[in-house]
Amino acid sequence: MSDFDDREKSFEAKFAHDAEMQFRAEARRNKLLGLWAAGVMGHDGEAAAEYAREVIKSDFQEAGDEDVFRKLKADLDGRASEDEIRTKMREMTAQAKAQLSDEV
């Protein structure tokens, strides 16, 4: 193989790895958000875990974070403000990425 082919394969592998890590971080963030929101709503145990799975599934409706935000906003109506939800989303994104980097 030529150096160009090696470099191309290397870039493709990095792109695939980065995309997988982004997906895993978003899924982890959504689980953490779901568990947080479940706690705010007074759920614990299996009910909290089930709600977290619902939040993870809500992220498959459209690209981006707005589908998750809308679900949390609707479900937490009156219990958390939009700013609180968005702040928690940022916090949980950082936490999820830290957890994943610790696992590697």
Side-chain angles (χ1 to χ4, degrees), residues 43-59:
H43 302 310
D44 60 1
E46 185 54 36
E50 178 58 34
Y51 183 76
R53 286 188 289 273
E54 288 178 24
V55 173
I56 292 168
K57 290 176 190 174
S58 75
D59 195 24

Side-chain angles (χ1 to χ4, degrees), residues 43 66 76 86:
H43 302 310
E66 287 305 304
L76 293 173
R86 291 200 187 275

Side-chain angles (χ1 to χ4, degrees), residues 33 36 69 72-73 76 79-91:
L33 281 168
W36 165 75
F69 174 77
L72 293 171
K73 181 181 173 200
L76 293 173
R79 296 184 184 119
S81 70
E82 289 185 17
D83 288 341
E84 289 173 302
I85 295 168
R86 291 200 187 275
T87 298
K88 194 55 83 169
M89 289 177 81
R90 285 188 297 275
E91 289 172 6

